[in-house]
Amino acid sequence: MIHAGDLCFTDRPAAPVNVSVTHLRADSVTVSWNIPEGETVIGFAISQQRQDGLMQRFIREVNTTSRACILWDLDEDADYIIQVQSVGLYGESLASKKIHFRTLKMSEHIQSTMMDQDDPAVEGLDLSRHLQTGEILIIMTVLLMWAIYTFFFFSVYDIIKDNDSNNHSKEKSKPLSGQSTPEYHNGGLLGSKLIKILCFVVSSFSLAQVH
C-alpha cells in the first residue's frame, strides 16, 4: 500500500472509462462516461482545454450520480481536449484518457438544427400536437354552444311558464265557453318556441362540426 502523507491511494476510485463526446454544436457539447463496477463515486471533475492552450476550464460536481455533463460557452470551429475524473470519499481518481473533439462552425450548427426539425418523428409529434389542439377546440366549442343553448332554453321556459300562468288566470275569469281558444293559443305559442329551440340546437351543432 502506497501512502502520500495521510492519503491512501488505494481508497481513491478508478478512473472513468468509455468517455465519449456527443451532440456536437458550435458552442456546446455533451460529455458522458462510465464508472468501473464496484467503485464508490460521489461526483466528477472535468478538465477542458483548447488545444492551442488559449483557454482552460475545470468543472467539479459532488453529491451527484450523473454520468454526463454539458459543456457550454465553447468557441466555434475550435479544437478541445477533455479528461474526466471520478470523485470518491477520499479523493479524486486519476484522469481518464484524453479525448479530442472539434466544435462545429455556426453554419454547420444551423444546418444540423434544420435537419433535426425535418426529422419525420419530429413532424409526427408536431402533427399529433396540432390534432390534439383541434380536438380541444372542437370540444370547447361544443361545450360553449351547449351552455348557450341551456341558458336560452331555461330563459324561454321561464317566459312560457309565466305566460301560461297569466293565461290560466285570465281563463278562470272568463266563461266556460271561451276557454278553448286560449288553450289553442297557448299550444301554438309553446310549439313555436319549441321549434325555435330545435332550430337553435341544430344550428349550434352544425357550427361546432364546421369548427
Side-chain angles (χ1 to χ4, degrees):
M1 183 179 296
I2 301 176
H3 292 266
D6 294 329
L7 177 64
C8 180
F9 284 96
T10 56
D11 291 334
R12 295 168 60 179
V17 295
N18 301 326
V19 180
S20 61
V21 172
T22 57
H23 301 96
L24 274 170
R25 297 290 186 267
D27 58 353
S28 66
V29 70
T30 300
V31 181
S32 59
W33 61 90
N34 294 122
I35 301 299
E37 187 177 354
E39 296 290 343
T40 301
V41 175
I42 62 171
F44 64 86
I46 299 177
S47 62
Q48 165 198 320
Q49 182 178 358
R50 277 186 53 157
Q51 196 162 355
D52 54 17
L54 294 179
M55 185 176 63
Q56 187 173 4
R57 181 185 298 169
F58 189 77
I59 302 171
R60 191 174 189 272
E61 294 285 344
V62 295
N63 298 325
T64 178
T65 59
S66 177
R67 300 293 181 261
C69 178
I70 300 178
L71 305 181
W72 298 96
D73 299 326
L74 304 180
D75 297 325
E76 67 169 307
D77 195 26
D79 291 303
Y80 286 89
I81 300 173
I82 60 169
Q83 288 182 287
V84 184
Q85 294 173 273
S86 294
V87 178
L89 296 174
Y90 303 102
E92 299 172 356
S93 71
L94 298 176
S96 66
K97 294 181 180 180
K98 294 182 178 180
I99 302 296
H100 298 256
F101 68 89
R102 186 179 185 87
T103 54
L104 300 179
K105 297 179 181 179
M106 186 57 66
S107 58
E108 295 173 337
H109 183 176
I110 295 174
Q111 182 178 3
S112 176
T113 303
M114 292 178 64
M115 291 179 63
D116 291 342
Q117 293 176 350
D118 293 336
D119 192 306
V122 175
E123 291 181 355
L125 180 59
D126 290 340
L127 178 60
S128 176
R129 289 174 179 173
H130 285 309
L131 289 176
Q132 291 178 0
T133 303
E135 292 171 356
I136 292 174
L137 287 175
I138 292 175
I139 293 173
M140 293 299 294
T141 302
V142 172
L143 291 176
L144 178 61
M145 299 307 296
W146 181 256
I148 295 174
Y149 157 71
T150 303
F151 175 80
F152 179 81
F153 173 81
F154 282 105
S155 298
V156 173
Y157 176 79
D158 289 337
I159 294 173
I160 295 173
K161 186 176 180 181
D162 291 339
N163 289 338
D164 185 66
S165 299
N166 293 333
N167 289 332
H168 276 295
S169 298
K170 293 179 180 179
E171 288 172 3
K172 290 181 179 180
S173 62
K174 291 183 179 181
L176 183 61
S177 59
Q179 292 183 0
S180 60
T181 301
E183 288 180 358
Y184 175 80
H185 177 73
N186 290 339
L189 176 62
L190 180 60
S192 176
K193 296 293 185 180
L194 290 176
I195 291 174
K196 290 182 180 180
I197 293 173
L198 290 175
C199 291
F200 182 83
V201 173
V202 172
S203 62
S204 299
F205 279 101
S206 298
L207 180 60
Q209 291 178 355
V210 169
H211 284 281

